Amino acid sequence: MENQLLNDKTVLITGGTGGIGRPTAAALARLGATVVLVGRDPERAERARRLVSEVSDSSRVEVLLADLSSLESVQVLASQFASRHPRLDLLINAAGTIEPRRRLSIDGIELTLAVNLLAPFVLTTLLLQRLRESAPSRVINLSSSEHRRGSIHIEDLEFKTRRYSASAAYSQSKLGVILFSVELARRLGGVGVTVNAIHPGLTDTGFGRRGGLIGLGWAVMKPWAIAPDEAAGNMLYLATAPEVSGTTGAYFEKQRRMRPKPLAVDHVLAARLWDQLERLIDGKSEMVIPGLYRGGVTWQSS
């Protein structure tokens, strides 16, 4: 019966075509879930779909294409998913990037911020109704232990006036992911949707294998890295374990609930960051539904 544990569940996972996301998707499909992978490149996404389907022996593996650095593309992704699936039991925001140089998205937003924080913020909010209708449901946001090195500059999230570094942008984004998770959990109290952040472990994927300082840093850390399948097991724990079914607004490292950096659970800062992300969206995209992100929206009401 184990492979039928998630038989009536639907999962959406960004970053599902590689890295930690693909073995996580395979594990969930093996348990019987309908799994929808989000990928940017059509050929790579189709290869990932076939592989996940084969290793899980499941025909219920699908692909949706999206560029998560684009606000319009994220909105289209949410719309396509909602039009095809009446349920969303588990949303895993696992896509991420680290950029050696400051680069801008198509919307003119610093790329690390756009992919690692803004995309989960927008996608989760747009699919919130599906999550509520499918309750009890779970949202898992991929963070990192590197958040402990981070700081949040509310008025300069994009490194416009301060010196850019890949590590500073990455750690800020991962700190922001925890703050977003904490604030969303607070706003969703009592509706049956849990929101948690996780560092599944330093993982041997292609994520950090770049030249320059990023590549050098990865070479130093690689001996302590775990395999993607092990990291996927840690993601699976947070996605399915009964003992964490009621846990929300928490941060996990592997399979243990941990205290994040104190700044990560600063509720005043979390609310300020939320407001700043709303303003950033309003200033960059006309495609996002006006008023959707307004802090005054009462999501706890029916």
Side-chain angles (χ1 to χ4, degrees):
M1 292 295 291
E2 184 182 24
N3 64 346
Q4 300 301 310
L5 179 65
L6 303 179
N7 193 47
D8 61 343
K9 308 300 184 184
T10 301
V11 177
L12 178 64
I13 177 168
T14 70
T17 61
I20 300 169
R22 191 169 65 196
T24 301
L28 291 163
R30 197 175 291 118
L31 292 175
T34 296
V35 177
V36 183
L37 312 176
V38 178
R40 183 175 57 180
D41 179 81
E43 292 185 2
R44 183 183 181 191
E46 177 56 24
R47 285 197 302 270
R49 187 200 65 77
R50 289 198 303 267
L51 179 61
V52 169
S53 182
E54 289 170 6
V55 300
S56 64
D57 192 27
S58 172
S59 61
R60 295 192 295 166
V61 182
E62 306 171 18
V63 163
L64 287 174
L65 298 176
D67 176 0
L68 296 177
S69 70
S70 162
L71 292 172
E72 180 178 352
S73 185
V74 174
Q75 185 179 31
V76 171
L77 167 63
S79 177
Q80 288 179 337
F81 178 87
S83 69
R84 298 180 188 184
H85 296 279
R87 297 188 60 84
L88 178 56
D89 301 276
L90 174 62
L91 171 60
I92 301 179
N93 290 302
T97 187
I98 183 168
E99 298 297 326
R101 296 174 300 279
R102 185 178 185 272
R103 298 172 57 201
L104 301 181
S105 71
I106 191 171
D107 300 302
I109 300 168
E110 191 278 312
L111 197 57
T112 309
L113 179 72
V115 174
N116 293 3
L117 179 54
L118 202 57
F121 180 82
V122 174
L123 182 61
T124 304
T125 307
L126 289 174
L127 290 174
L128 193 57
Q129 189 60 34
R130 274 288 181 275
L131 288 161
R132 291 182 62 183
E133 292 167 351
S134 307
S137 55
R138 305 187 191 191
V139 177
I140 299 174
N141 294 320
L142 188 64
S143 185
S144 169
S145 61
E146 286 296 302
H147 83 273
R148 300 184 190 280
R149 300 175 181 268
S151 58
I152 295 287
H153 292 251
I154 293 293
E155 302 304 327
D156 188 22
L157 294 174
E158 300 183 73
F159 292 84
K160 290 181 176 179
T161 61
R162 54 192 169 118
R163 183 177 180 181
Y164 177 88
S165 77
S167 61
Y170 181 77
S171 59
Q172 176 186 254
S173 72
K174 293 306 182 180
L175 175 57
V177 165
I178 302 176
L179 285 161
F180 159 57
S181 302
V182 167
E183 178 65 6
L184 182 56
R186 184 188 68 79
R187 296 186 182 212
L188 287 175
V191 302
V193 182
T194 63
V195 188
N196 294 293
I198 185 172
H199 169 61
L202 177 66
T203 308
D204 188 7
T205 67
F207 185 72
R209 296 174 187 171
R210 302 189 181 190
L213 292 176
I214 294 175
L216 180 61
W218 169 250
V220 172
M221 295 185 294
K222 184 177 179 180
W224 289 272
I226 62 176
D229 284 349
E230 183 178 348
N234 297 329
M235 298 284 283
L236 188 66
Y237 169 79
L238 192 54
T240 63
E243 60 266 31
V244 295
S245 62
T247 301
T248 191
Y251 168 70
F252 286 77
E253 291 190 359
K254 297 184 178 179
Q255 296 184 24
R256 294 180 59 191
R257 182 172 181 172
M258 302 288 286
R259 287 182 179 273
K261 175 176 184 166
L263 206 60
V265 291
D266 182 326
H267 290 283
V268 174
L269 181 62
R272 290 183 62 206
L273 176 62
W274 186 288
D275 291 343
Q276 188 66 13
L277 293 176
E278 288 181 347
R279 287 192 287 271
L280 185 59
I281 293 165
D282 285 345
K284 297 293 185 180
S285 175
E286 296 179 357
M287 292 295 296
V288 178
I289 301 170
L292 182 60
Y293 301 95
R294 294 279 70 81
V297 174
T298 306
W299 284 331
Q300 297 186 42
S301 63
S302 58

